[in-house]
Amino acid sequence: MSDADSPAQFLIVMGVSGSGKTTLAEGIANAMGWLYAEGDDFHSQANVDKMASGVPLTDEDRWPWLHAIGTWIDEHERDGRSAVVTCSALKRTYRDLLREGRDNVRFVYLDVPQKVLEERLAKRTGHYMPPSLLPSQLEALEPLQPDEAGVVVHAHQTPEASLAQALELLGLTPKN
């Protein structure tokens, strides 16, 4: 069966701020020749402003964002194009919404020790999400459960090692 005959696959790279979602998602997309989207780009300006001011988002803030990501997945599924998107997907209910009616969605949960996250966020520049929101994200985080489609990557290693681990766990062979 050729890739053109295979159903589209969708990976949602999830985790808290500073876990390396963008780096890993871009790496997978490049290795596989898939589309890539940055989940942050689906946030409303009100959400961005709220986070930038140091106020955590509520579930009510997140639902439209999650629906927008789901719609993006649906559009590319209709085109038969596999893709990777980042999304914190902190709670099981968020992941359930993203999976609803989408059997071809898998999650890649980036598990990183808090100390490493704090170090990364302290060095990060040019992002609206302040390091002060990390505790609220860790408090809200419900790690990927064994009955959820996906894998856990221990992303405190180098980006290259995390990518190799993710591809192996997902059973994906890079195209390039």
Side-chain angles (χ1 to χ4, degrees):
M1 181 187 274
S2 72
D3 286 347
D5 297 329
S6 300
Q9 297 183 56
F10 296 93
L11 300 177
I12 298 174
V13 179
M14 61 168 282
V16 298
S17 187
S19 60
K21 294 184 297 292
T22 299
T23 300
L24 184 65
E26 288 176 342
I28 293 171
N30 288 336
M32 299 304 299
W34 291 359
L35 297 172
Y36 162 75
E38 174 59 52
D40 287 343
D41 294 342
F42 294 89
H43 275 298
S44 67
Q45 188 60 48
N47 279 4
V48 171
D49 293 345
K50 190 171 186 178
M51 288 184 283
S53 68
V55 178
L57 297 180
T58 65
D59 285 351
E60 291 71 30
D61 295 324
R62 288 187 177 100
W63 297 128
W65 170 63
L66 294 165
H67 281 289
I69 292 171
T71 298
W72 183 86
I73 291 170
D74 293 342
E75 289 168 359
H76 293 293
E77 182 177 28
R78 280 191 292 276
D79 294 339
R81 300 197 60 196
S82 296
V84 184
V85 61
T86 60
C87 176
S88 55
L90 298 175
K91 295 182 181 181
R92 171 83 184 234
T93 56
Y94 304 164
R95 297 189 297 273
D96 288 346
L97 184 144
L98 290 166
R99 260 194 304 269
E100 190 174 323
R102 300 178 185 102
D103 294 335
N104 52 0
V105 168
R106 292 188 288 170
F107 290 88
V108 180
Y109 166 49
L110 301 183
D111 187 18
V112 182
Q114 184 172 345
K115 183 174 174 41
V116 174
L117 292 167
E118 291 168 350
E119 290 169 1
R120 289 179 181 175
L121 290 175
K123 295 176 187 172
R124 185 162 77 172
T125 59
H127 195 278
Y128 60 80
M129 174 92 168
S132 63
L133 289 181
L134 179 61
S136 69
Q137 283 201 327
L138 290 170
E139 185 178 318
L141 177 64
E142 297 170 2
L144 195 66
Q145 296 301 302
D147 67 325
E148 293 183 89
V151 299
V152 178
V153 173
H154 300 286
H156 55 279
Q157 53 201 336
T158 66
E160 295 80 14
S162 294
L163 175 60
Q165 182 185 24
L167 292 172
E168 180 180 339
L169 291 170
L170 292 163
L172 297 174
T173 303
K175 301 292 180 211
N176 49 18

